[in-house]
Amino acid sequence: MPVYSEKVMDNFMNPRNVGEIADADGIGEVGNPVCGDMMTFYIKVRDNRLEDVKFKTFGCGAAIAVSSMVSQMATGMTLDEALKLTNASVAEELGGLPTNKLHCSNLGADALHAAIQDYLKKKGGNGDGRKAE
Amino acid sequence: MPVYSEKVMDNFMNPRNVGEIADADGIGEVGNPVCGDMMTFYIKVRDNRLEDVKFKTFGCGAAIAVSSMVSQMATGMTLDEALKLTNASVAEELGGLPTNKLHCSNLGADALHAAIQDYLKKKGGNGDGRKAE
Amino acid sequence: MDRHIYFDHAAATPLLPEVVDAMLPYLHEHFGNPSSLHAWGDAPREALAVARAQVAGLVGAARPEEVIFTSCGTEANNMAIKGLAMAQQARGKHIVISAIEHFSVLYSVRTLEKRGFTATLVPVDKYGLVDPQAVADAIQPDTILVSIMHANGEVGTIQPLKEIVQLAKERRVPVHTDAVTTAGTIPVDVMDLGVDALTLAGDSFYGPKGAAALWVKRGTRIIPLLDGGIQEGGRRSGTENVPAIVGMGVAAEIAKAKMPERIAQATAVRDALLNRLPAAIPHTIVTGHPTQRVPDIASFCIEFIEGEGMLMLLSSKGIGVSSGSACTSRALKGSHVLEAMGVPAEIAQGSMLFGIGIDNTLVDVDAVIEALPPIVERLRQMSPLYDKYLKSQKGG
Amino acid sequence: MDRHIYFDHAAATPLLPEVVDAMLPYLHEHFGNPSSLHAWGDAPREALAVARAQVAGLVGAARPEEVIFTSCGTEANNMAIKGLAMAQQARGKHIVISAIEHFSVLYSVRTLEKRGFTATLVPVDKYGLVDPQAVADAIQPDTILVSIMHANGEVGTIQPLKEIVQLAKERRVPVHTDAVTTAGTIPVDVMDLGVDALTLAGDSFYGPKGAAALWVKRGTRIIPLLDGGIQEGGRRSGTENVPAIVGMGVAAEIAKAKMPERIAQATAVRDALLNRLPAAIPHTIVTGHPTQRVPDIASFCIEFIEGEGMLMLLSSKGIGVSSGSACTSRALKGSHVLEAMGVPAEIAQGSMLFGIGIDNTLVDVDAVIEALPPIVERLRQMSPLYDKYLKSQKGG
Ligand SMILES: Cc1ncc(COP(=O)(O)O)c(C=O)c1O
Ligand SMILES: Cc1ncc(COP(=O)(O)O)c(C=O)c1O
């Protein structure tokens, strides 16, 4: 019995959207290598939608698979939709995670949300009148 | 690995001198069925020697083997020799006993000694001047 | 030995061929550690999950995770008594058990008494039955655990456990039961019984030595007995004995499937022994309950002689039985079970226990009925007690 | 998988064919209970005696009766710590251990702390070495037990145990050692070491799971962990796991006979790994002592990445290794051993442990040196830490 579901393994072995976006609209970094996991998400926003999502992740197989899955799920979403993306839906989409790895899915959603917050903050700071929710 | 040595088994399976002596010169009874072992020894004395020794024993295999061995060792001994017969020599003669069964060899020697004491007491009581040691 | 008739299944059961076959891959290629994250961990991890479900299935547990594998029934009982009591000690320090519990329960309680706990030992009647009301009456405001065995391994009496549990629950006291004698033999359903924890052992139902289990209802707090790593959900550390656990799982599944036919077969052999032995040997007493007893134990006391001699002479005829508790026959103490049932100590010395197995037949009973009477007679001829009895009869 | 290269012998060892062969009769015809007094008990009882002598022989014990069989190393360690401490508590309640003990020692001590004991954890240096003088200094008038492992299972560092024992003896404090990592691998002699109790586990030297032992010097008082019957001289109750114990005995005998050749072979493989891996992969640190280490452990930290991903990708190439403690790789905590050695937490996340076995060769090392660098490179490309490092280099 492998520790991870097939879908987790696929996303771990062949992670999608690894990398960074040089001129990202928002960057979110969560976690801490001291605790074993750290994720950086990069987003490109166009018409209030996530046009591109990339990540770099330091962490276990689950952390990498979660990052890959979050990036795929988020791409194309509106910001509001992406902000509503939950750890539970990520874990579900991955066909489940071992209980002791569920925190990885929290981290994935958190990193994405942090990148969006970063974008909203910067945008607010640019003076176009839109405030961070 | 059998629990008992060959010699114990032989004396248990084919105990020598089982029985009672109708006109015994001395009878010794030790132990208590409540504790699991009880032995009765009967002796016939002639010229200060044990001419005949018989026993009845309620107890484990070791108790029966010890009784058999004590009866054989004692037969032909002078009373003094028989009184010096120890539990250790009985156990040795049997090729050893499991540690948790060593008390059986005590019982065997004790029963024999009790029978001799009984004889000596009766004799003393008969007024022939010899006292129990 | 001309014949080989094994009648001591309470002491050890032979492993089913299916059990050994299931174990072998885990002694060969699947030797890996179930905690290993690489490929070598996969098969052992899967095997543990399967065995856990099989064992849960045997006792009607809702969730396989409630099954904690241990190395033996003794460990499971120690864990249950010490672990449940220690987890509840803020609420109280009083424990209720019966007087006829297995030593692993009894002495675990004794150890807790050294740590400030107190205990009430509920008595049994002459059949070895615990009165549920006596358990209820023993419960105090500070009682935090009741442990009553499902059936006794020496006399086979089955306790009215459901009633006991109900009365304990009304008083909000959790109940553990040692089901080593029953699980795998008669239907045992943790939901139906209503217990909070239950001990079972694979080697009592044709599984291997080295695997047993404590089922603990979800939500029940228990302090581990073995501290360490993260195996068994952190409740029982130590590398899992995968081959033995696999064997226990398979044995559990087979026990469940074959239970009705096994019960029918054992009952026939048991009843033949219970009827024929006292008829063939005067001064023989059946111990245990006439009807409330497990199908695979026939137990007696044969008066005026001691059990060890009997069983060794029977062994020399190729027949294996035991005397007193199979597990403690070297303890040199009279059975505390028979004592609690009021059997006089000298009579208890002649205890004889037949543990009936799946291969025993009525032909085996014939062999016992043929072999045993001369052995008893021979030992009685040697016995000063019998002597006294005969003389008293003559005198009287 | 194209190749199968198992390099995780610290987590599990395959059973030797001789070991399985020796076990089989006890899974078949010799299924009896060693406590049984009839013929079915004879072979199992004999087998236990033989295994006890074999295990005693492996560790230089004077008397086989000093060997207490347990179900696993964890149980032996729990028994040692709790049993020795509880037996001595009238004299004091302070325990000295090292900071890098196995969790079964560490958490046993934690449990005792809840029962009023206190403990000093002696630190280690960057190589994982305990300073004997630091142990001596930690000893207080109320210290009743010192437990220092013989060698650590994660980094392989061998402790100066003899010196530690000598200093403890001068202060009249008994010493236990967890020798799971060393017994069966390098010479371990209880007399020479001078210890009072020693833990060893059969499954660390090609024996089966389910059998381990605590050797306790005659005359040393110890309170049982498992209360109950009369097995193991009353010190460890529960039906003995005969097949596993038999297997451990045979494995012990073979380990002793083949020790020199096994050491030579493992050392060659270890040294190849220790030399070639850091050369092939930049930013790789060897953990453990440069010379005072067991022959069969090569351990590293590979910077900027986390161990689990590495070992899973290696597994997909047919290579089995582990990260952190084999027993605890699912605990999700950074290794307490590396932490105690002062390895920064993020570097400790990249720990990688090769447990070298009797079948590993230099060809296996070639395979690792071929497979691992691209895996590391790939994970580093994904790692934000590596990114930061590279940018800092450019910046600097
Ligand atoms: C040093 C050490 N001690 C004790 C143990 C515990 O052994 P087990 O898991 O067999 O209980 C281990 C396990 O690997 C170990 O490495
Ligand atoms: C009722 C009962 N409970 C517990 C045990 C202990 O089992 P083990 O010896 O496997 O530890 C026994 C042993 O026969 C038993 O009969």
Side-chain angles (χ1 to χ4, degrees):
Chain A
M1 186 159 61
V3 178
Y4 293 128
S5 72
E6 253 178 65
K7 215 143 171 200
V8 173
M9 280 309 286
D10 175 46
N11 276 275
F12 163 64
M13 299 290 287
N14 311 294
R16 318 330 181 235
N17 304 310
V18 174
E20 47 190 298
I21 302 175
D23 56 343
D25 294 326
I27 301 180
E29 185 177 294
V30 301
N32 186 333
V34 169
C35 305
D37 298 293
M38 185 175 153
M39 297 181 188
T40 312
F41 265 74
Y42 302 87
I43 55 171
K44 198 81 199 153
V45 181
R46 191 186 184 129
D47 295 338
N48 212 36
R49 266 183 201 281
L50 293 174
E51 194 188 45
D52 197 8
V53 181
K54 289 217 166 343
F55 74 90
K56 288 220 165 181
T57 290
F58 166 93
C60 64
I64 290 169
V66 160
S67 307
S68 165
M69 182 51 77
V70 166
S71 71
Q72 291 171 78
M73 290 170 79
T75 305
M77 277 187 175
T78 64
L79 295 188
D80 280 355
E81 283 167 352
L83 282 168
K84 279 180 199 137
L85 196 147
T86 63
N87 48 341
S89 61
V90 175
E92 201 191 309
E93 198 65 32
L94 281 167
L97 281 171
T99 31
N100 63 350
K101 296 287 186 174
L102 279 172
H103 73 283
C104 293
S105 56
N106 295 338
L107 224 52
D110 287 356
L112 176 72
H113 296 165
I116 297 174
Q117 298 297 356
D118 180 51
Y119 161 72
L120 294 174
K121 207 169 99 194
K122 281 186 195 146
K123 214 179 136 202
N126 284 347
D128 72 351
R130 202 174 185 284
K131 278 263 186 286
E133 288 161 54
Chain B
M1 186 159 63
V3 178
Y4 294 127
S5 70
E6 253 177 65
K7 215 141 168 202
V8 173
M9 281 308 286
D10 176 45
N11 275 275
F12 163 63
M13 299 289 288
N14 310 295
R16 306 351 169 226
N17 305 311
V18 174
E20 46 189 299
I21 301 176
D23 57 342
D25 294 326
I27 301 180
E29 185 177 293
V30 302
N32 187 332
V34 169
C35 306
D37 298 292
M38 186 174 152
M39 297 181 189
T40 310
F41 266 74
Y42 304 85
I43 55 170
K44 198 82 200 152
V45 183
R46 188 183 184 134
D47 295 338
N48 212 38
R49 268 184 202 278
L50 293 172
E51 193 188 47
D52 197 9
V53 180
K54 289 218 167 344
F55 72 91
K56 287 219 167 182
T57 290
F58 166 92
C60 63
I64 291 168
V66 159
S67 306
S68 164
M69 181 52 76
V70 166
S71 70
Q72 292 170 78
M73 290 170 78
T75 304
M77 277 186 175
T78 65
L79 295 188
D80 280 354
E81 284 166 352
L83 281 169
K84 279 181 198 134
L85 196 148
T86 64
N87 50 337
S89 61
V90 176
E92 202 191 308
E93 197 64 33
L94 281 168
L97 281 171
T99 31
N100 63 351
K101 297 286 185 174
L102 279 173
H103 73 281
C104 294
S105 55
N106 296 336
L107 224 51
D110 288 356
L112 175 72
H113 297 166
I116 297 174
Q117 299 297 354
D118 180 53
Y119 160 74
L120 294 174
K121 208 169 97 193
K122 281 187 200 148
K123 214 178 135 206
N126 284 347
D128 73 351
R130 202 175 183 283
K131 277 261 186 291
E133 288 161 50
Chain C
M1 278 189 219
D2 33 328
R3 293 163 300 196
H4 292 276
I5 298 172
Y6 184 70
F7 254 133
D8 197 12
H9 295 82
T13 54
L15 284 73
L16 295 173
E18 298 93 320
V19 167
V20 179
D21 288 349
M23 293 171 68
L24 288 179
Y26 300 91
L27 294 171
H28 290 294
E29 66 270 28
H30 297 320
F31 66 87
N33 190 318
S35 293
S36 287
L37 296 170
H38 49 61
W40 283 263
D42 290 348
R45 187 162 45 243
E46 169 94 35
L48 283 189
V50 169
R52 205 179 299 281
Q54 286 166 324
V55 169
L58 178 64
V59 296
R63 302 173 193 83
E65 321 85 74
E66 294 172 333
V67 172
I68 305 167
F69 286 114
T70 67
S71 64
C72 58
T74 292
E75 185 193 333
N77 278 342
N78 272 258
M79 178 176 180
I81 298 297
K82 296 172 185 170
L84 293 170
M86 297 295 276
Q88 298 290 333
Q89 61 177 320
R91 281 185 46 220
K93 292 197 148 197
H94 180 251
I95 301 166
V96 175
I97 63 172
S98 85
I100 60 168
E101 296 301 312
H102 186 259
F103 283 154
S104 52
V105 167
L106 217 50
Y107 287 108
S108 288
V109 169
R110 293 271 171 266
T111 290
L112 287 177
E113 286 178 318
K114 287 181 200 137
R115 294 195 206 144
F117 285 80
T118 57
T120 301
L121 270 62
V122 176
V124 295
D125 70 10
K126 64 176 173 170
Y127 299 122
L129 266 186
V130 172
D131 175 4
Q133 193 53 46
V135 174
D137 293 345
I139 292 175
Q140 308 172 356
D142 63 336
T143 303
I144 40 103
L145 180 63
V146 167
S147 180
I148 304 287
M149 69 200 320
H150 193 196
N152 182 275
E154 276 180 67
V155 296
T157 304
I158 302 173
Q159 302 302 339
L161 191 56
K162 222 171 141 170
E163 289 72 20
I164 292 170
V165 171
Q166 202 168 330
L167 293 171
K169 292 274 129 152
E170 285 167 14
R171 289 155 182 82
R172 305 186 153 278
V173 180
V175 180
H176 164 256
T177 190
D178 172 0
V180 166
T181 302
T182 53
T185 301
I186 59 171
V188 170
D189 187 299
V190 291
M191 298 308 210
D192 180 52
L193 289 171
V195 291
D196 300 280
L198 179 140
T199 295
L200 71 164
D203 61 351
S204 67
F205 48 83
Y206 306 93
K209 295 174 177 61
L214 182 65
W215 169 84
V216 181
K217 192 161 124 189
R218 192 165 75 155
T220 307
R221 283 197 56 222
I222 183 157
I223 307 271
L225 183 67
L226 302 196
D227 294 308
I230 38 69
Q231 293 93 349
E232 299 297 298
R235 292 173 300 178
R236 200 283 186 182
S237 299
T239 299
E240 302 89 339
N241 187 352
V242 180
I245 290 171
V246 164
M248 180 179 179
V250 171
E253 189 162 280
I254 297 174
K256 193 176 174 181
K258 299 212 170 160
M259 199 170 281
E261 60 186 275
R262 284 187 183 173
I263 289 176
Q265 166 262 337
T267 304
V269 174
R270 179 197 69 184
D271 290 345
L273 283 168
L274 292 178
N275 291 326
R276 295 180 61 192
L277 206 87
I281 303 172
H283 308 293
T284 294
I285 299 158
V286 172
T287 56
H289 198 279
T291 58
Q292 292 298 99
R293 62 187 302 148
V294 291
D296 59 347
I297 291 181
S299 53
F300 307 91
C301 284
I302 301 181
E303 287 189 67
F304 311 120
I305 58 179
E306 193 268 353
E308 191 198 285
M310 261 192 297
L311 79 84
M312 290 181 60
L313 288 170
L314 264 183
S315 175
S316 75
K317 301 276 174 204
I319 299 174
V321 301
S322 75
S323 174
S325 163
C327 304
T328 56
S329 55
R330 288 158 94 192
L332 298 185
K333 291 225 198 117
S335 156
H336 69 295
V337 175
L338 296 176
E339 187 186 343
M341 289 162 61
V343 178
E346 72 274 18
I347 293 181
Q349 299 293 350
S351 96
M352 172 161 274
L353 169 59
F354 293 81
I356 298 151
I358 53 176
D359 292 329
N360 287 130
T361 63
L362 295 176
V363 176
D364 295 346
V365 178
D366 291 341
V368 168
I369 298 297
E370 191 192 318
L372 190 53
I375 288 173
V376 171
E377 186 51 30
R378 180 173 159 183
L379 289 169
R380 282 186 175 162
Q381 288 308 330
M382 242 184 264
S383 165
L385 288 185
Y386 191 56
D387 213 34
K388 282 185 189 178
Y389 166 77
L390 290 180
K391 283 175 185 153
S392 76
Q393 290 301 96
K394 257 191 249 161
Chain D
M1 281 189 212
D2 30 330
R3 292 164 301 198
H4 293 276
I5 298 172
Y6 185 70
F7 255 133
D8 197 12
H9 295 82
T13 54
L15 284 73
L16 294 174
E18 298 92 321
V19 167
V20 180
D21 288 348
M23 292 171 69
L24 288 179
Y26 300 90
L27 294 170
H28 291 292
E29 66 271 28
H30 297 320
F31 65 88
N33 190 320
S35 293
S36 288
L37 296 171
H38 49 60
W40 283 263
D42 291 348
R45 186 162 46 242
E46 170 94 36
L48 283 189
V50 169
R52 205 180 300 281
Q54 287 166 323
V55 169
L58 178 64
V59 295
R63 300 172 194 85
E65 321 84 74
E66 295 172 333
V67 172
I68 304 167
F69 286 113
T70 66
S71 65
C72 58
T74 293
E75 185 193 333
N77 277 342
N78 272 259
M79 178 176 178
I81 299 297
K82 296 172 185 172
L84 293 170
M86 297 295 277
Q88 298 291 333
Q89 61 176 322
R91 281 186 45 221
K93 292 197 148 198
H94 180 250
I95 301 166
V96 176
I97 63 172
S98 85
I100 61 167
E101 294 302 313
H102 186 259
F103 283 154
S104 51
V105 168
L106 219 49
Y107 288 107
S108 289
V109 169
R110 293 269 171 269
T111 291
L112 286 177
E113 286 179 319
K114 286 180 202 139
R115 293 194 207 148
F117 285 80
T118 58
T120 301
L121 270 63
V122 176
V124 295
D125 70 10
K126 64 176 173 171
Y127 299 123
L129 266 187
V130 172
D131 176 3
Q133 194 51 49
V135 174
D137 293 345
I139 292 175
Q140 308 172 357
D142 63 336
T143 303
I144 40 101
L145 180 63
V146 167
S147 180
I148 304 286
M149 68 200 321
H150 193 196
N152 182 276
E154 275 181 67
V155 297
T157 304
I158 302 172
Q159 302 302 339
L161 191 56
K162 224 171 139 169
E163 289 73 19
I164 291 169
V165 171
Q166 203 168 331
L167 293 171
K169 293 272 128 155
E170 285 168 13
R171 288 156 183 81
R172 306 184 153 278
V173 180
V175 180
H176 164 256
T177 190
D178 173 358
V180 167
T181 302
T182 53
T185 302
I186 59 172
V188 170
D189 187 299
V190 291
M191 298 309 210
D192 181 52
L193 290 170
V195 291
D196 301 280
L198 181 141
T199 295
L200 71 163
D203 61 352
S204 67
F205 48 83
Y206 307 93
K209 295 174 178 61
L214 181 66
W215 168 85
V216 181
K217 192 161 123 188
R218 192 165 73 154
T220 306
R221 282 198 56 223
I222 184 158
I223 307 271
L225 184 67
L226 301 195
D227 294 307
I230 38 71
Q231 292 94 349
E232 299 297 297
R235 292 174 301 180
R236 199 285 187 183
S237 299
T239 300
E240 302 90 340
N241 187 350
V242 180
I245 291 171
V246 165
M248 179 178 180
V250 171
E253 188 161 280
I254 297 174
K256 192 175 175 184
K258 300 212 170 160
M259 200 170 279
E261 61 185 275
R262 284 186 183 174
I263 289 175
Q265 165 264 338
T267 304
V269 174
R270 179 197 69 185
D271 289 346
L273 283 168
L274 291 178
N275 292 325
R276 295 181 61 191
L277 206 88
I281 303 171
H283 308 293
T284 295
I285 299 158
V286 172
T287 56
H289 197 278
T291 58
Q292 292 298 99
R293 62 187 302 149
V294 290
D296 60 347
I297 291 181
S299 53
F300 307 91
C301 284
I302 300 182
E303 287 190 66
F304 310 120
I305 57 179
E306 192 269 353
E308 189 198 286
M310 262 191 298
L311 80 85
M312 288 181 61
L313 288 169
L314 264 183
S315 174
S316 76
K317 301 275 174 206
I319 300 174
V321 302
S322 77
S323 175
S325 162
C327 304
T328 56
S329 54
R330 289 157 95 192
L332 299 183
K333 291 226 198 115
S335 155
H336 70 293
V337 175
L338 297 175
E339 186 185 343
M341 289 162 60
V343 177
E346 72 273 18
I347 294 181
Q349 299 293 349
S351 96
M352 173 160 272
L353 169 59
F354 294 80
I356 297 150
I358 53 175
D359 292 328
N360 288 130
T361 63
L362 295 176
V363 175
D364 296 345
V365 178
D366 292 341
V368 169
I369 298 297
E370 191 192 317
L372 190 53
I375 287 172
V376 170
E377 186 52 28
R378 181 173 158 183
L379 289 170
R380 282 185 177 164
Q381 287 308 330
M382 241 184 264
S383 165
L385 288 185
Y386 191 55
D387 213 35
K388 283 186 189 177
Y389 167 76
L390 291 179
K391 283 172 185 155
S392 77
Q393 289 302 93
K394 257 190 246 162

